[in-house]
Amino acid sequence: AQSVTQLGSHVSVSEGALVLLRCNYSSSVPPYLFWYVQYPNQGLQLLLKYTSAATLVKGINGFEAEFKKSETSFHLTKPSAHMSDAAEYFCAVSATSGTYKYIFGTGTRLKVLA
Amino acid sequence: NAGVTQTPKFRILKIGQSMTLQCTQDMNHNYMYWYRQDPGMGLKLIYYSVGAGITDKGEVPNGYNVSRSTTEDFPLRLELAAPSQTSVYFCASGRGATNEKLFFGSGTQLSVL
């Protein structure tokens, strides 16, 4: 069985500050991991994904995430927050075999303060 | 290239009414999914399809039905709408490899009163 846990349903940061959104996963097989972003009244868009190549993954808009197997984590970071980063962020996991399903976390809403 | 298109964007239903949420994609993707999004609950998989004529249940299928007669279309049917089905519904599609991203529609906001 697979699952993802996102710690913190709401995170607030000041503009220019570090963004850290946490995601821990559980998977009985090697996982594929994703971060999606959802802007208001829109569908989800892919930020980045881990597919067992490099453990540090760079995505769009300056975001990156590091896969840490020992910690079963895939936290999302950005060195300097912009106002335009305000959105909801979802971590997701899929299996390398056995299912075509993607499991999503409960989401973290990021607020950027001026 | 339109991607994944969902209609309608908003709908209000009365308890017991039925409706169909439409989803179509123009990327020739075999895999299509229906999710519902509730505040603080993330996305829950309702149904998915791995190709025309093949559908399967997700985590929360009760109260819903789907069909997949063509590669492009994957409608979601609500029979006897209930207040518990008030939610935002997203359709998504993908190539099928689970290391690849999903493409999402812009959602349907449904209220059942």
Side-chain angles (χ1 to χ4, degrees):
Chain A
Q2 298 168 286
S3 65
V4 288
T5 301
Q6 292 184 242
L7 298 176
S9 58
H10 292 81
V11 170
S12 293
V13 299
S14 297
E15 192 174 21
L18 171 72
V19 176
L20 171 61
L21 305 182
R22 300 177 186 273
C23 174
N24 288 89
Y25 71 90
S26 172
S27 180
S28 56
V29 297
Y32 296 132
L33 293 159
F34 306 80
W35 275 101
Y36 285 84
V37 60
Q38 183 182 30
Y39 298 105
N41 301 315
Q42 294 185 28
L44 280 68
Q45 306 170 39
L46 183 71
L47 268 181
L48 50 81
K49 65 178 181 179
Y50 166 76
T51 58
S52 74
T55 56
L56 182 62
V57 181
K58 295 187 183 297
I60 62 172
N61 300 337
F63 284 93
E64 63 181 37
E66 186 172 7
F67 174 72
K68 292 187 176 180
K69 185 177 179 180
S70 61
E71 299 177 8
T72 61
S73 69
F74 190 57
H75 301 331
L76 182 71
T77 61
K78 181 174 180 178
S80 177
H82 295 164
M83 297 298 290
S84 59
D85 295 327
E88 190 156 20
Y89 293 80
F90 291 92
C91 183
V93 63
S94 69
T96 54
S97 64
T99 177
Y100 300 106
K101 299 176 188 175
Y102 297 75
I103 305 298
F104 286 82
T106 52
T108 297
R109 185 168 297 278
L110 176 67
K111 186 174 182 179
V112 182
L113 306 172
Chain B
N1 191 341
V4 179
T5 302
Q6 288 183 240
T7 56
K9 292 191 180 300
F10 304 94
R11 184 73 185 267
I12 298 175
L13 285 181
K14 294 182 179 179
I15 294 172
Q17 287 185 321
S18 300
M19 77 164 294
T20 299
L21 280 65
Q22 301 292 344
C23 175
T24 187
Q25 52 93 5
D26 61 0
M27 296 172 282
N28 202 33
H29 288 163
N30 283 324
Y31 295 79
M32 296 188 74
Y33 306 80
W34 273 106
Y35 290 90
R36 60 176 288 172
Q37 183 182 28
D38 300 300
M41 301 295 289
L43 277 73
K44 298 295 185 184
L45 182 64
I46 305 171
Y47 272 95
Y48 68 103
S49 169
V50 301
I54 306 170
T55 62
D56 205 353
K57 297 178 180 179
E59 304 169 80
V60 290
N62 292 343
Y64 307 95
N65 279 299
V66 293
S67 60
R68 185 91 183 275
S69 57
T70 67
T71 299
E72 295 77 20
D73 300 308
F74 190 42
L76 177 71
R77 178 83 176 161
L78 279 70
E79 304 282 2
L80 300 175
S84 60
Q85 293 178 304
T86 294
S87 188
V88 181
Y89 292 84
F90 288 99
C91 179
S93 72
R95 295 187 180 95
T98 53
N99 62 342
E100 295 198 14
K101 69 177 183 179
L102 294 181
F103 294 77
F104 283 83
S106 57
T108 295
Q109 187 169 327
L110 176 67
S111 296
V112 182
L113 305 175

